Every structure is written in C-alpha cells, then in structure tokens.
Amino acid sequence: MLDALSDRLQTTFKRLGSRGKITEEDLDVALREVRVALLEADVNFKVVRDFIGRVRERALGADVTQSVTPGQQIVSIVNQELVEVLGGDSEPLRTASSGPTKILVCGIKGSGKTTLCGRLAQRLKRDGMKPMLVSTDFERLAATEQLQVLGRQIDVPVYFEEREAPAAEVGKRALKEAERLGVNAIIVDTRGGVALDDALADELAALADEIDPIEVLIVVDAMTGQEAVTLAKEFDEAIEGTGIVVTKLDSDTRGGAVLSVREVTGLPVKFITTGERLEALEDFHPDRFASRVLGMGDIVSLVERAQQTMGERNVEDVARRMKTGQFDLEDFLQQLDQLRQMGPLSGMLDMIPGMAQLKDKAQIADMNEAFLNKSEAIIQSMTIEERRNPDLLNGSRRRRIAGGSGTTPADVNRLLNQYREAKKLMQAMAGGKGGGLRRMLGF
Ligand code: GDP
Ligand code: MG
C-alpha cells in the first residue's frame, strides 16, 4: 500500500538525514522531491501546494537548538503535517446514545458499499451490538442476493423487498422490522449508479430524511484516484456525509485519495479497507497512517521523545549558557538527567548532532546507566558553589565528595574530565559551522 510514495519520501529524507546543518537550499530541494512524490501518488495539487507551504514555513521557523539533526526534524515536521492533512485525531464510528444506531452507506457502483455493509455488521456484532442489514438497491438483483449471502455468513438478519419500491419507503418499513426484531443497529445499503446524477441524489436524500441516520458514510474506491475525491465531494454536497470510507487500498493504488479527501471535503476518513475478505476493514488513524506513508516511525518517535524530555526553554537556556561558556556542573547534572529520561543511551547518542561520528572518539561513549548513576551521586554530593564553580574542586574537596557519594577520588576525577569534554564539545557545537568540533577531535 502506497509503497511508491513511501519509498520516494524515504530516499529523499535519507539524503538529508546525516547532515548536521540544512540550508534553505537543501530544504527546497527536499521539498521539491516531496512535492513530486505526492503529485505522483495522485494527491490533489492544491492539497500538495498547501502542504508543502506549511512544512516549509515550519521547517524554517524551527528552533535549531533542538537535540536532533535538522534532517530528522524535517521528517518530524512532514509527519506532523501529514497527520494534520489526514484529519488529526481519529474519529471512530458514532453510535446512538438512545434508539438504534442507523448507518447509511452510499457511493457509486462498484465502490465497495455492499461489502462494507457486511463488514460493519460484523464489526458491530463483534462489539456486542445486534445489527440488521437493509437492502434498498433494486438496480441489480444480485445486489440484494449479495447482501443476503453476507448476512448468512455473519449470521445477521437482512431486510429486503421482492418488489421494487422507492428507497425511502423500503427504509421506513425496514425501521419497523428492526423494532420488531429488537436490533440496535441498522446498516442501510443503497443503489450506486455509475455517477451521482439528480435521480440518485434525490433518492438518497429522501432515504436519509426517512431514516435519519447518525452516520452517512461515503464510500470511495482508492483505485480511481482524484475521481474518488471529486465524487466524495459531490456526495457530501448532495446528502451531507459524516465520514468517508476509502476502499481497495490493498490494490496497487497510489493512495492520493486518502491523502486528499479529508482536506477537500472536510469529512473525516473513518475506515479504510484493504482486501476482499470481510475482515479487511481497518479503523483509520491519521497518525498511524502517516507513519506508514513515511515509513520512518523510528525517527519520528525519537524526535517526539526528545521534544517531550527537553522542554523548549530548557534547551534554549542550556544553548545560551554553552555559548557564553557558562556551562557548569549543574547544567551537566541536568543534561545527565535528561539523557536518562530519554532512554537507552546508545540510541540517543546518534540523535545528538555530531555524536554519531563522535562515538568512538570521545569518552562520552562510556556514558552508560551505571555511569549516569555514579555521576549524579557525585554531583549531588557537591555544594551548590562547587557545582557552579568546578575550579574550586581541589584534592581535599574531591576526597570529601568521593566519601559522600560512595565513590573513589578517581571516579570524581573521571567525572570532572567528562564534564570538561562535554563543555568543550558544547562550546564547539555552539560555535557554529562544526569546523571547530572537527578540529578539536582531529578529523
Ligand atoms: P458496491 O457496488 O459499491 O456495492 O460494491 P461491492 O461491495 O459489490 O464491491 C465491488 C467489488 O469490490 C467486489 O468484488 C468486492 O469484493 C471488491 N472490494 C470491495 N472492497 C475491496 C477492497 O478493500 N479490496 C479489494 N481488493 N476489493 C474490494
Ligand atoms: Mg452493492
């Protein structure tokens, strides 16, 4: 599903990923590739234009002091904007708080309506409800039969009429039958037609008036690309939808429909379907879908974790102190604490700009959990004055601190060396172009 798009985006971002700094030019090259990838995936051009504009603006405004590489940060921004374009939070199927939950399913012929009705019935049944299926499609004899077969398969009653009648009338009688049977969910299948003409629009509007559904689901076939989005808009204008279902995402589709339909119609995508089997129904989660498209969930979650643990203020504050050479043992303690909160260190080191290359060279590679514990104990055994002014730490003070923290003077010395390394490193990093850092480390 959406493999081509996903592959292209990953290639684009991998090219950015290892860079310490990204210029506006780099960003534009990357965004141009993202744009082409989205257009090739058949995403609506207006949606693409707005999307790229928002990503660019955010990327340029993003704070460079964040403890991730700019490449990773752009992946994260693209991810966040994808989630937005897909609707933000997921919106599950609504159920009525009193009376039966009534769902109207509409869309053109072949979009997957009848199959979806079966799927929803199965789902509701699994969730402990008592659903009933209703056929109002007289266009094809097979349509009613298809629904009956599905009903038998999942053991759900199906209401249908032998003689052709207006859909609204069938709907009205179906509601009576539902009451008689004591069901609490009614799923109404409708006639499709090859296009949404006036007759179909009127028929559906009358049916909707009659049954007063809590959900009007508009079903569109992902394989039809932009056409699916246009149709969704037309259906929504004709009968006011409450949600979209995008079907056939399993087939070799480019996926543009899913990525455009929310932005174009304003309606949430509630489900996607990914196969012919009845079970191939998935709740739609914008965030999960975005990371599927991006295929870079690992980077995204790293950036999120970094943002959660390092409050923006704090990062800026430390950066300022680094630049002015004020980085003291208190800052160091705070950094150690943040490193710990962020989880296993080996993975974290790669996230810090410049660290990936550094790992074997600097002593910082030794920062494991045990080291963190010991370091914290040592710094905590110092007075505030000592933390702010490490030059005070003469031999007798170091012995006192070793005793207080249950360590040895050698441990204290090692910690002070690490601190000095970190301070040098940070000054070099804060110094700008990275040349200073490279000079310092001799590579
Ligand atoms: P309707 O005319 O809108 O009622 O569409 P149907 O429910 O009859 O579905 C039309 C065809 O699409 C059937 O052959 C379904 O099996 C197939 N179909 C529906 N959903 C999916 C899907 O998610 N993936 C695939 N591959 N086929 C699907
Ligand atoms: Mg049908």
Side-chain angles (χ1 to χ4, degrees):
M1 182 174 74
L2 274 64
D3 289 342
L5 174 60
S6 189
D7 287 349
R8 283 200 65 147
L9 291 177
Q10 282 181 46
T11 312
T12 303
F13 292 130
K14 283 210 178 99
R15 233 172 277 150
L16 282 178
S18 57
R19 303 203 191 167
K21 276 226 153 65
I22 291 178
T23 63
E24 201 167 328
E25 218 167 71
D26 292 334
L27 177 68
D28 282 338
V29 170
L31 289 183
R32 203 149 45 228
E33 286 174 35
V34 173
R35 186 172 154 273
V36 172
L38 291 172
L39 288 173
E40 278 182 0
D42 208 12
V43 180
N44 177 290
F45 82 94
K46 228 174 134 274
V47 172
V48 173
R49 192 188 57 200
D50 295 351
F51 178 85
I52 297 291
R54 285 195 301 268
V55 171
R56 188 167 191 281
E57 195 173 315
R58 283 184 63 173
L60 290 178
D63 190 343
V64 290
T65 60
Q66 301 251 332
S67 65
V68 290
T69 67
Q72 289 167 333
Q73 200 163 37
I74 289 173
V75 173
S76 168
I77 291 171
V78 168
N79 179 67
Q80 285 168 38
E81 286 298 336
L82 270 179
V83 174
E84 274 316 298
V85 149
L86 292 168
D89 295 327
S90 55
E91 296 201 30
L93 193 75
R94 284 185 252 174
T95 51
S97 49
S98 68
T101 293
K102 293 171 285 187
I103 302 168
L104 185 63
V105 174
C106 59
I108 63 161
K109 194 192 298 213
S111 56
K113 293 180 298 302
T114 305
T115 316
L116 178 71
C117 288
R119 290 173 161 154
L120 290 175
Q122 184 185 45
R123 167 72 69 97
L124 293 177
K125 199 175 163 189
R126 187 201 70 192
D127 293 347
M129 294 182 77
K130 274 183 72 180
M132 178 178 103
L133 288 160
V134 179
S135 174
T136 65
D137 184 359
F138 292 95
E139 195 170 69
R140 291 189 299 166
L141 257 182
T144 304
E145 268 165 37
Q146 189 188 349
L147 203 63
Q148 284 176 271
V149 170
L150 285 170
R152 272 197 297 276
Q153 199 179 326
I154 54 177
D155 194 22
V156 163
V158 178
Y159 182 85
F160 65 97
E161 298 186 357
E162 302 281 356
R163 291 184 48 202
E164 183 159 350
E169 288 177 21
V170 180
K172 188 175 182 177
R173 290 189 284 270
L175 291 186
K176 283 222 180 72
E177 177 68 1
E179 209 176 325
R180 196 183 66 82
L181 291 178
V183 302
N184 57 15
I186 302 155
I187 301 160
V188 183
D189 192 15
T190 61
R191 176 170 81 86
V194 286
L196 179 64
D197 53 21
D198 289 346
L200 181 57
D202 291 346
E203 181 180 323
L204 292 174
L207 175 61
D209 274 353
E210 190 61 52
I211 61 175
D212 189 22
I214 188 167
E215 287 278 14
V216 176
L217 298 179
I218 299 171
V219 183
V220 294
D221 176 346
M223 284 166 67
T224 63
Q226 285 308 295
E227 180 64 15
V229 180
T230 308
L231 275 169
K233 197 157 186 257
E234 285 174 16
F235 270 92
D236 184 38
E237 279 160 6
I239 57 160
E240 247 186 84
T242 58
I244 308 279
V245 178
V246 183
T247 62
K248 307 186 196 177
L249 270 166
D250 52 308
S251 48
D252 186 27
T253 99
R254 291 174 294 168
V258 189
L259 287 158
S260 322
V261 77
R262 163 71 196 227
E263 193 96 332
V264 171
T265 63
L267 292 175
V269 175
K270 296 220 162 173
F271 298 100
I272 54 177
T273 73
T274 54
E276 297 207 47
R277 284 172 52 251
L278 216 49
E279 290 72 24
L281 176 73
E282 293 182 25
D283 291 318
F284 185 72
H285 296 287
D287 53 347
R288 287 184 216 165
F289 195 82
S291 52
R292 243 147 99 178
V293 170
L294 219 48
M296 303 186 101
D298 45 346
I299 289 185
V300 169
S301 55
L302 270 180
V303 175
E304 277 167 9
R305 252 194 300 162
Q307 282 168 341
Q308 275 161 18
T309 39
M310 301 218 171
E312 200 80 35
R313 272 232 75 75
N314 206 350
V315 176
E316 271 169 25
D317 205 42
V318 173
R320 190 176 46 71
R321 298 173 64 77
M322 270 160 44
K323 270 185 203 154
T324 52
Q326 285 178 315
F327 185 81
D328 62 19
L329 280 163
E330 262 189 302
D331 295 319
F332 191 51
L333 179 64
Q334 207 172 16
Q335 295 256 296
L336 293 177
D337 192 46
Q338 280 168 344
L339 282 176
R340 182 203 303 288
Q341 283 176 45
M342 279 158 64
L345 269 179
S346 51
M348 292 336 273
L349 285 180
D350 292 332
M351 282 180 43
I352 301 171
M355 279 292 178
Q357 301 95 294
L358 242 158
K359 249 203 249 175
D360 302 329
K361 310 226 172 205
Q363 286 171 307
I364 293 175
D366 297 334
M367 285 196 189
N368 53 29
E369 203 54 30
F371 164 78
L372 281 183
N373 291 336
K374 207 183 257 185
S375 304
E376 284 186 359
I378 292 171
I379 299 177
Q380 274 154 3
S381 295
M382 296 176 187
T383 64
I384 297 285
E385 216 191 348
E386 286 164 346
R387 293 183 205 179
R388 295 200 176 149
N389 187 4
D391 290 340
L392 290 176
L393 294 167
N394 59 20
S396 73
R397 286 183 191 241
R398 289 181 198 199
R399 274 193 298 282
R400 191 205 80 232
I401 290 162
S405 57
T407 61
T408 66
D411 288 328
V412 178
N413 287 339
R414 193 157 46 234
L415 170 100
L416 289 173
N417 283 335
Q418 304 256 17
Y419 154 69
R420 275 187 218 106
E421 284 302 314
K423 183 173 173 175
K424 253 195 275 178
L425 184 67
M426 292 190 173
Q427 267 166 331
M429 280 180 354
K433 301 209 164 28
L437 176 63
R438 239 174 277 128
R439 244 194 329 277
M440 181 180 96
L441 293 159
F443 63 92

